């Protein structure tokens, strides 16, 4: 492999600045505690690191299990080229979530306590176990890609045998904890602004994660295509986009029905900052991209597809922050805005994630459409090692 | 059966002297935080405060819920509801996720924000004293009898008697009887409780029942999901195989390469 000093570009300089700032915040966090590095308080104990690093991070990784289910369980084979990048995103996403959790937990060195001290009544306990188990599953799902790279044929054959049960376990674990991230908030009915509180929070979290997770696949495919100068599965991606927004629209309809059944419709006409944020969330994240992608001409246009994906992801991000931060402020009686240190750690995590994705995608057969988990052959890695690709 | 202990605070009797505040600081070895105890807030160094609302004084401290939200949400069981009533905390188990703080309907648990090895801090109803048959430090110190310590059912009886015998003085409600499933700190007052900064919008059910409804669906999701997904795998695989065979039969001359 050629080792050359990376060219200095604008985005690389930005990335380095972000990481240096993040490292400084890391130093503050682990020498001064959460008080020195965050704007959290007794009245507002959860902030950006829970809202973004955990809730958004896990949610956007949902493309992994969704694509996995489509290709390996429902055997719709044509989507297989999307499976590996989605698995890689999910795996990195979860590693970053765990990494991010280290910042937010007051006692990160006790994180393993969830293994030995059990409280099955706690949603957080369930989330902890699902995240641990699902990260393991994602590792196992990613493993064949690494095995191909190092040409460990025997292990690869074994992985192929246990592949399907692993995939099924992964889908169940994802379903459970994507929804239980919403269940976390079921216990604070009196603290949340009613536009976001609902007994159906777990359902909403699951549906929006599936929709946004699928759309994330489009986003990363475009970024990878630019970074690696490769073609794009345009047809597959536009379909995935369509399915993504249909699922989100379905979620929105259920939400409106829930509003009607719980007498919350009038809140939609009460104009305040909460309502505005709610409208922004559903317009940017669901209604507008749905209106766009439902049109064949638009969804088959690369730029519009990409733009719609970014909208969906932004709307999703806003939804998670609205649930975990905006909706809590009236109940807490204080306002919260993340400190510059919290923001810089979050930006650093995103940057590190992108670097890791790029590095792995460059060095492992992630975008190998001719090799699959099931009917694998070693053609790709053979060609790769002979330098033909 | 062990009788659950409780605290009854009667706001009509409280003179705002601060003896409970000082006794709590001393019993829990907490540093002094302010010259004027009436201006102090709950914090990692203050487990109870006396608050002044017009000419009524009230106290704030952990309510020691009958079915505590903090106990139910803690992933590692660092919060524990003891048989005697006090809700205690084990800092060695704690991860520092602060879900207890987020979930507490009474906004009670406090955090050591500026420590590298932080713990959650709150009133633990002088558990060590209560275990040994003593009363809490605040009740012992109270010169007017505004804070009483005893068996929960006894204290409820006393509170009811006071409300009945003196309906002009008391606002007719015992706060803590059914707030979020009931608490082991009971409060009676001359004015409605929202005027004293207590949450009046709490459901009567214990909050853990809200999440229990979601949690009890897990076994169904696991079992149902497993069967459904396995069946889908089998069915779709078979469908693909049959389709491939048909395709094979249809084209005899050309090789079977895809595309």
């Amino acid at each position: 492999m050629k080792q050359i000093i990376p060219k200095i570009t604008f985005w690389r300089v930005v990335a380095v600045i972000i990481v240096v700032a993040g490292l400084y915040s890391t130093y503050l966090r682990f020498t001064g505690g959460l008080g020195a590095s965050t704007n959290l308080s007794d009245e507002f104990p959860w902030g950006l690191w829970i809202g973004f690093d955990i809730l958004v991070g896990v949610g956007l990784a949902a493309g992994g299990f969704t694509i996995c289910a489509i290709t390996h369980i429902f055997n719709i084979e044509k989507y297989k080229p999307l499976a590996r990048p989605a698995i890689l995103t999910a795996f990195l996403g979860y590693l970053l979530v765990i990494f991010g959790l280290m910042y937010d937990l007051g006692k990160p060195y006790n994180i393993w306590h969830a293994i030995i001290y059990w409280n099955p009544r706690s949603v957080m306990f369930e989330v902890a176990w699902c995240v641990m188990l699902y990260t393991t599953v994602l590792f196992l799902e990613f493993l064949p890609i690494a095995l191909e790279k190092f040409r460990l044929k025997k292990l690869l054959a074994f992985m192929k045998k246990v592949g399907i049960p692993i995939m099924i376990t992964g889908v169940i674990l994802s379903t459970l904890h994507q929804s239980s991230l919403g269940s976390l908030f079921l216990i604070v009915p009196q603290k949340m602004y009613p536009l976001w509180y609902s007994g159906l929070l777990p359902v909403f979290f699951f549906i929006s994660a599936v929709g946004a997770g699928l759309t994330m696949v489009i986003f990363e495919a475009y970024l990878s295509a630019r970074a690696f100068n490769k073609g794009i599965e345009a047809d597959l991606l536009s379909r995935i986009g369509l399915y993504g927004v249909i699922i989100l629209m379905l979620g929105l309809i259920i939400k409106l029905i829930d509003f009607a059944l719980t007498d919350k419709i009038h809140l939609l006409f009460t104009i305040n900052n909460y309502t505005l944020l709610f409208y922004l969330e559903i317009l940017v994240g669901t209604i507008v991209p749905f209106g766009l992608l439902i049109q064949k001409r638009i969804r088959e246009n690369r730029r519009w597809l990409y733009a719609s994906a970014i909208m969906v992801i932004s709307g999703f991000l806003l939804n998670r922050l609205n649930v975990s931060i905006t909706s809590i402020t009236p109940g807490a009686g204080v306002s919260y805005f993340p400190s510059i240190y919290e923001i810089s750690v979050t930006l650093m995590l995103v940057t590190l994630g992108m670097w890791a994705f790029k590095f792995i995608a460059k060095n492992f057969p992630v975008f190998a459409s001719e090799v699959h988990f099931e009917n694998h052959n070693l053609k790709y890695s053979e060609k790769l090692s002979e330098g033909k690709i | 059966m062990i009788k659950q202990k409780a605290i009854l605070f009667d706001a009509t009797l409280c003179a705002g002297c601060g003896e409970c505040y000082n006794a709590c600081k001393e019993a829990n070895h907490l540093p002094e935080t302010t010259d004027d105890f009436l201006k102090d807030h709950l914090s990692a160094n203050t487990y109870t405060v006396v608050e002044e609302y017009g000419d009524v004084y009230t106290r704030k401290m952990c309510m020691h819920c009958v079915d505590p939200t903090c106990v139910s949400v803690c992933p590692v069981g660092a919060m524990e509801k003891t048989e005697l009533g006090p809700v205690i905390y084990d800092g060695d188990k704690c991860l520092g996720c602060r879900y207890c703080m987020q979930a507490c309907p009474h906004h009670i648990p406090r955090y050591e924000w500026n420590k590298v090895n932080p713990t959650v801090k709150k009133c633990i109803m002088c558990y060590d004293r209560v275990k040994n048959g003593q009363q809490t430090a605040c009740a012992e110190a109270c010169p007017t009898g505004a804070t009483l310590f005893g068996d929960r059912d006894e204290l409820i009886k006393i509170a009811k008697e006071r409300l009945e015998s003196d309906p002009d003085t008391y606002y007719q409600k015992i706060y803590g009887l059914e707030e979020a499933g009931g608490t082991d700190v009971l409060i009676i007052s001359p004015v409605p409780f929202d005027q004293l900064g207590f949450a009046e919008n709490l459901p009567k059910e214990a909050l853990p029942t809200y999440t229990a409804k979601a949690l009890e669906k897990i076994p169904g999701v696991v079992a149902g999901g497993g069967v459904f997904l396995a069946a889908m795998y089998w069915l779709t695989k078979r469908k693909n195989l049959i389709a491939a065979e048909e395709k094979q039969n249809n084209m005899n001359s050309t090789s079977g390469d895809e595309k």
Side-chain angles (χ1 to χ4, degrees):
Chain A
M1 213 146 287
K2 290 172 282 177
Q3 287 292 344
I4 28 169
I5 298 162
K7 248 198 338 221
I8 296 173
T9 66
F10 174 71
W11 287 109
R12 281 189 182 141
V13 173
V14 171
V16 168
I17 292 171
I18 286 175
V19 171
V20 170
L23 289 174
Y24 176 67
S25 307
T26 306
Y27 167 78
L28 273 186
R29 159 65 188 91
F30 290 102
T31 53
L34 287 163
S37 48
T38 70
N39 282 347
L40 298 172
S41 62
D42 288 325
E43 290 77 24
F44 213 94
W46 284 4
L48 183 72
W49 289 344
I50 297 271
F52 185 89
D53 303 4
I54 315 291
L55 298 186
V56 175
V58 168
L60 290 183
F65 92 88
T66 327
I67 301 273
C68 236
I70 292 174
T71 57
H72 294 296
I73 296 172
F74 291 85
N75 287 304
I76 309 172
E77 313 232 332
K78 64 179 175 199
Y79 291 104
K80 276 192 176 162
L82 303 180
R84 287 185 163 191
I87 289 175
L88 176 60
T89 316
F91 184 39
L92 288 175
Y94 274 75
L95 289 182
L96 284 176
V97 164
I98 295 171
F99 191 54
L101 203 55
M102 293 297 175
Y103 284 80
D104 189 73
L105 287 180
K107 294 163 167 274
Y109 41 82
N110 279 354
I111 193 168
W112 56 277
H113 279 186
I115 301 171
I116 55 164
Y117 299 119
W118 287 29
N119 180 15
R121 278 183 89 195
S122 163
V123 176
M124 187 74 90
F125 172 79
E126 188 220 327
V127 172
W129 270 89
C130 279
V131 169
M132 282 191 286
L133 293 175
Y134 188 54
T135 309
T136 315
V137 165
L138 282 169
F139 171 75
L140 293 175
E141 286 177 356
F142 179 75
L143 195 59
I145 302 171
L147 293 177
E148 260 174 34
K149 155 96 176 173
F150 299 112
R151 311 178 76 175
L152 298 163
K153 295 183 190 179
K154 268 187 189 163
L155 254 176
L156 195 56
F158 174 73
M159 286 309 295
K160 185 190 150 193
K161 269 184 199 154
V162 295
I164 293 305
I166 289 176
M167 301 276 174
I168 292 181
T169 312
V171 173
I172 295 174
L173 287 170
S174 294
T175 307
L176 284 179
H177 78 272
Q178 289 291 355
S179 49
S180 44
L181 287 177
S183 310
L184 284 177
F185 296 90
L186 286 177
I187 206 153
V188 286
Q190 79 291 358
K191 282 189 185 177
M192 281 175 80
Y193 192 76
L195 273 177
W196 288 283
Y197 185 84
S198 161
L200 291 181
L201 264 173
V203 178
F204 296 153
F205 262 57
F206 178 74
I207 294 177
S208 54
V210 171
L214 284 177
T215 319
M216 187 70 184
V217 174
I218 300 173
F219 178 71
E220 92 213 3
Y222 274 83
L223 281 189
S224 319
R226 259 177 41 189
F228 304 117
N229 215 357
K230 57 176 273 299
I232 209 153
E233 315 272 355
D235 170 50
L236 295 184
L237 291 177
S238 69
R239 270 161 197 264
I240 287 288
L242 179 65
Y243 299 149
V245 291
I246 289 177
I247 291 169
L248 289 171
M249 202 60 192
L250 206 71
L252 181 59
I253 292 168
I254 300 176
K255 194 172 271 185
L256 293 176
I257 295 173
D258 181 54
F259 276 5
L261 294 177
T262 50
D263 291 322
K264 284 181 192 163
I265 295 280
H266 68 278
L267 286 172
L268 293 173
F269 304 102
T270 320
I271 297 306
N272 57 31
N273 287 345
Y274 300 109
T275 328
L276 292 178
L277 278 168
F278 180 78
Y279 279 127
L280 192 63
E281 172 191 317
I282 58 170
L283 278 176
V284 172
T286 307
I287 296 173
V288 175
F290 177 81
L292 290 173
L293 294 186
I294 201 79
Q295 306 172 60
K296 194 164 192 248
R297 218 175 32 139
I298 288 185
R299 74 168 172 271
E300 285 180 355
N301 176 304
R302 300 174 57 136
R303 286 183 180 204
W304 276 112
L305 184 63
Y306 184 52
S308 310
I310 290 178
M311 287 176 77
V312 167
I313 292 163
S314 314
F316 176 82
L317 197 149
L318 190 57
N319 168 259
R320 294 306 193 249
L321 295 182
N322 276 341
V323 169
S324 64
I325 296 173
T326 315
S327 79
I328 304 283
T329 42
V334 293
S335 63
Y336 159 86
F337 193 83
S339 74
I340 189 161
Y341 309 114
E342 287 171 89
I343 295 171
S344 77
V345 166
T346 297
L347 289 177
M348 178 177 73
L349 291 177
V350 173
T351 309
L352 292 180
M354 284 183 161
W355 277 354
F357 187 89
K358 218 173 152 181
F359 174 80
I360 296 175
K362 218 180 206 170
N363 293 292
F364 290 85
V366 173
F367 289 100
S369 45
E370 67 262 52
V371 272
H372 302 317
F373 191 71
E374 274 151 79
N375 54 336
H376 62 87
N377 50 48
L378 291 170
K379 249 192 280 170
Y380 180 88
S381 41
E382 276 160 17
K383 277 192 217 159
L384 191 77
S385 56
E386 287 159 23
K388 283 182 190 161
I389 289 177
Chain B
M1 228 194 96
I2 300 169
K3 283 208 170 168
Q4 201 151 88
K5 301 290 176 189
I7 286 173
L8 172 64
F9 176 72
D10 186 337
T12 64
L13 298 176
C14 181
C17 69
E19 286 303 319
C20 52
Y21 174 89
N22 292 329
C24 177
K25 288 258 178 197
E26 201 184 312
N28 292 295
H29 313 288
L30 299 173
E32 195 181 312
T33 40
T34 170
D35 293 336
D36 183 359
F37 69 88
L38 283 171
K39 290 207 176 97
D40 206 358
H41 304 282
L42 292 184
S43 72
N45 292 319
T46 305
Y47 298 171
T48 186
V49 286
V50 181
E51 290 174 350
E52 197 177 8
Y53 291 90
D55 50 6
V56 182
Y57 295 99
T58 191
R59 290 186 60 195
K60 296 281 164 68
M61 66 185 119
C62 173
M63 300 294 284
H64 300 277
C65 301
V66 174
D67 185 359
T69 313
C70 58
V71 173
S72 93
V73 299
C74 179
V76 292
M79 289 281 177
E80 185 195 340
K81 175 78 179 171
T82 59
E83 274 187 314
L84 282 168
V87 177
I88 57 170
Y89 163 79
D90 182 351
D92 291 333
K93 279 187 185 174
C94 178
L95 306 178
C97 72
R98 309 183 300 285
Y99 196 10
C100 50
M101 306 176 65
Q102 177 81 328
C104 173
H106 304 285
H107 300 270
I108 294 299
R110 305 283 135 162
Y111 210 54
E112 295 180 313
W113 292 102
N114 290 312
K115 284 199 177 169
V116 181
N117 186 11
T119 50
V120 175
K121 298 286 181 185
K122 66 172 200 69
C123 154
I124 55 163
M125 214 197 253
C126 294
Y127 182 57
D128 283 334
R129 298 167 60 107
V130 169
K131 216 166 36 178
N132 294 324
Q134 291 171 276
Q135 55 178 334
T136 61
C138 58
E140 189 180 79
C142 182
T144 63
T147 299
L148 293 180
F149 176 85
D151 294 337
R152 187 171 191 262
D153 38 8
E154 284 293 313
L155 293 178
I156 292 172
K157 215 188 284 169
I158 294 174
K160 277 185 177 158
E161 279 165 13
R162 288 187 191 173
L163 295 193
E164 265 170 41
S165 65
D166 205 351
D168 292 339
T169 308
Y170 288 100
Y171 175 70
Q172 291 295 311
K173 178 181 176 172
I174 304 173
Y175 192 86
L177 214 48
E178 48 189 22
E179 267 63 31
T183 59
D184 283 345
V185 173
L186 305 160
I187 301 160
I188 48 177
S189 139
V191 294
F193 290 93
D194 52 351
Q195 291 179 24
L196 300 179
F198 288 98
E200 283 269 47
N201 62 344
L202 298 182
K204 286 182 182 174
E205 287 176 284
L207 291 169
T209 54
Y210 283 66
T211 37
K213 283 174 209 157
L215 284 168
E216 67 198 17
K217 298 205 170 68
I218 293 175
V221 172
V222 173
V227 170
F228 171 73
L229 293 171
M232 284 317 285
Y233 170 72
W234 187 78
L235 278 173
T236 51
K237 189 91 199 163
R238 206 175 127 79
K239 201 183 110 215
N240 285 355
L241 274 178
I242 293 169
E245 266 171 33
E246 272 174 10
K247 202 177 169 190
Q248 196 72 29
N249 292 342
N250 288 344
M251 16 180 228
N252 298 322
S253 51
T254 44
S255 70
D257 272 1
E258 293 175 1
K259 286 176 196 168

